[in-house]
Every structure is written in structure tokens, then in C-alpha cells.
Amino acid sequence: MVAALIILGEAGCSSQAPSSNPHDEDHFAGTNPQIIGRHIYGCDDGAQITVDFLADGLTIEMRSTAGGKPVRLSAPGQGLQYIGDRITADATGGQMTINRQGHPAQACRRI
């Protein structure tokens, strides 16, 4: 009985259908096991931002969905502002405000 449950458990995890969304590749293909979640944000300026949440719960990687290079930001604690190199992000209630040094604030909503 226990062996059957183990086999069923392994079968459910071992073959996951590939994602049809190319932006989900890192998470679903397992190339970055640190990623525990992903949100896509649409911004008031028309940009789309992909935000990957990492396993430590305090780190995110952001990139434009146009294939931009990921930028890593970290928060000192849960619910606090994420901080990176010349960039900060505040995320609350499905909204994110991104502040880049030398650029106006970017208001985005989860889609």
C-alpha cells in the first residue's frame, strides 16, 4: 500500500506538461528551482513586468516580458519594500509601484 502511494506520488510530480507560455519556462521547466511563484503585471505605461518570487520569501526577480534581463530585489522583511541596484518595488494587494533611479514611478497591476 505504501509503495503504491509512493509510486503514484512520483508519477504525479515527474512529468509535468510543458507550458505554452514562454515566460513560464524557468518555473515550469525546472531550470530555476528557487522560483516558487510568478505574477505578470500590466503597467500604466503599457509595459508588462514578470515577477518571479524566490523560495526565501524575501527576494524577487523582475524583468520585462519582452525578454529583458532579470533584476533581483530583496526585502529586509515580509511586507517591506524590495530593494535592488537603483530600483525599488512596493507590492500590495495586486499592485506594484516600481521606482527606478532617474525615471518616473511605474504603477502596475497584476493581470
Side-chain angles (χ1 to χ4, degrees):
M1 178 74 162
V2 173
L5 290 175
I6 292 172
I7 291 170
L8 286 175
E10 289 176 1
C13 296
S14 63
S15 65
Q16 189 171 18
S19 171
S20 60
N21 183 347
H23 303 295
D24 288 342
E25 276 183 28
D26 291 345
H27 179 63
F28 292 107
T31 59
N32 188 347
Q34 292 181 355
I35 297 173
I36 59 170
R38 172 169 287 166
H39 293 166
I40 308 288
Y41 289 84
C43 304
D44 290 346
D45 62 2
Q48 284 193 343
I49 306 292
T50 300
V51 179
D52 291 325
F53 295 86
L54 304 187
D56 69 0
L58 300 174
T59 305
I60 60 173
E61 284 187 348
M62 294 184 355
R63 68 175 174 234
S64 69
T65 55
K69 185 175 180 177
V71 176
R72 189 170 281 205
L73 295 90
S74 297
Q78 291 291 330
L80 299 177
Q81 183 180 62
Y82 294 99
I83 302 167
D85 185 26
R86 295 182 295 243
I87 184 171
T88 62
D90 293 290
T92 56
Q95 297 186 25
M96 181 176 282
T97 302
I98 302 166
N99 291 291
R100 291 182 175 91
Q101 186 177 8
H103 298 279
Q106 190 175 26
C108 308
R109 286 184 236 3
R110 187 172 168 199
I111 53 175

